[in-house]
Amino acid sequence: MKSCHPLAGVVRWVNERTLYFRVRLVAPSASGPDGEGWIRGDRLPEHVPGLIDLLMRRSCEGHRTAAASFLATDVGRQVLCFASASAYLTGRAPEPAAERLWVRPDGNGRIVEAAFRQGTVGVLPGDPMGRRPGVVELPGDRALDEWVMAGAAAVLDPVVDAVRAATRFGARAQWAVIADAPHSALLAAAEEVGADQAAAWDRAARMVRLLNRDRDRVAPRQRPFTVALSGRPSHRPERTFLVKGGCCFYYRFGDSTCAGCPLKGDDERESLLRERFEPESARA
């Protein structure tokens, strides 16, 4: 039987697409998500040293700084992407809370999935779910974003501190890669639904600024990179991509970098994006 939870529809929508994050809803009476390997948010800091060691062995070829950046990136993605995308797409979002959130690492130490216990959900005025138990009506988009980011910061702060203690990889560097998550999530969601990508970028940038509401965490360095690509609809030939705000240090042991790498020049970035997203006939 399908859930009638306010977030059930957007969970299904996300998991049916390739958006680089996956999510589950956990029933209020369940002890946690089905399956093994899940780590509850309030216990995640104590797992950080083991996850760093696993990443070093299986993903980062012994590079501790890269392992720290990978972990911060992955945790930020799983905590922030679903909540950000849901707020943007539907005007509904879960309240991130460490005791109601789980993440699951794979065998290589990469955190690949999140689960949220069905609990408090923020909605906008007039939402038909507004009178359901556990639903909080917020006065507008900004208030919803502020509510989500306040919860996310409370979840992420202890993890950032634990990564810094285990690796000496600084808090500012961690928040730089964490702040990539809302930008990547909203750009991907906007692309899926054919929405204005400039507006999606602006919404994501506001979300990131709201991480600083109670104290200075993030110095945003993300920037949009827009390319007109052959093969796209004539009414929206351009697509906007994220140039990341922080470094994953993959270049220290890998033989390539991603198109969003902040160390890459824009000419090379454009070539890589065209190779990936344009039809081969357009590049002949």
Side-chain angles (χ1 to χ4, degrees):
M1 183 171 63
K2 290 185 178 180
S3 171
C4 61
H5 187 269
L7 300 177
V10 71
V11 166
R12 288 193 297 271
W13 188 90
V14 164
N15 291 336
E16 289 169 356
R17 287 157 177 81
T18 305
L19 297 178
Y20 308 105
F21 60 97
R22 295 185 62 79
V23 67
R24 302 186 192 188
L25 287 178
V26 179
S29 59
S31 59
D34 292 336
E36 298 181 353
W38 290 93
I39 302 170
R40 203 170 69 190
D42 55 348
R43 296 173 181 167
L44 185 54
E46 67 194 62
H47 288 267
V48 162
L51 289 170
I52 293 290
D53 289 345
L54 182 58
L55 284 163
M56 288 174 63
R57 293 196 312 271
R58 302 296 296 272
S59 297
C60 300
E61 298 187 12
H63 288 263
R64 198 166 190 81
T65 300
S69 186
F70 275 35
L71 183 55
T73 298
D74 289 349
V75 173
R77 179 185 299 121
Q78 299 304 335
V79 172
L80 282 169
C81 277
F82 172 67
S84 299
S86 183
Y88 166 69
L89 288 167
T90 69
R92 300 174 179 173
E95 180 185 28
E99 69 277 9
R100 297 197 300 272
L101 166 69
W102 289 260
V103 296
R104 183 178 65 81
D106 65 13
N108 295 318
R110 302 304 304 266
I111 295 180
V112 295
E113 192 173 10
F116 289 81
R117 184 182 297 284
Q118 296 180 20
T120 308
V121 176
V123 302
L124 298 178
D127 190 300
M129 290 284 185
R131 295 185 179 181
R132 287 178 59 89
V135 173
V136 176
E137 188 175 283
L138 297 157
D141 286 344
R142 182 183 175 87
L144 178 62
D145 293 349
E146 187 174 309
W147 185 76
V148 168
M149 292 299 138
V155 173
L156 291 166
D157 275 337
V159 182
V160 168
D161 291 343
V163 171
R164 184 178 182 183
T167 65
R168 297 187 178 180
F169 188 56
R172 184 58 62 93
Q174 291 182 65
W175 283 106
V177 296
I178 289 169
D180 290 338
H183 291 87
S184 62
L186 266 61
L187 286 178
E191 174 65 14
E192 283 286 338
V193 301
D196 184 337
Q197 294 205 326
W201 180 274
D202 290 344
R203 179 81 177 267
R206 183 178 73 185
M207 290 178 175
V208 169
R209 290 193 299 271
L210 287 170
L211 288 169
N212 292 331
R213 180 175 175 269
D214 60 326
R215 67 181 178 85
D216 186 23
R217 292 182 178 88
V218 185
R221 296 185 178 89
Q222 291 75 18
R223 65 180 176 90
F225 186 75
T226 301
V227 185
L229 298 169
S230 298
R232 287 179 60 79
S234 59
H235 65 284
R236 53 185 188 100
E238 294 186 331
R239 181 169 177 181
T240 299
F241 298 90
L242 166 68
V243 179
K244 297 178 179 179
C247 185
C248 67
F249 301 95
Y250 179 77
Y251 72 90
R252 291 189 175 180
F253 57 90
D255 57 2
S256 63
T257 55
C258 69
C261 178
L263 304 179
K264 190 182 296 296
D266 283 349
D267 289 344
E268 184 183 3
R269 190 184 322 283
E270 181 172 341
S271 295
L272 282 173
L273 292 169
R274 291 191 183 283
E275 182 178 347
R276 180 174 178 184
F277 293 103
E278 284 189 329
E280 187 173 349
S281 59
R283 294 182 276 111

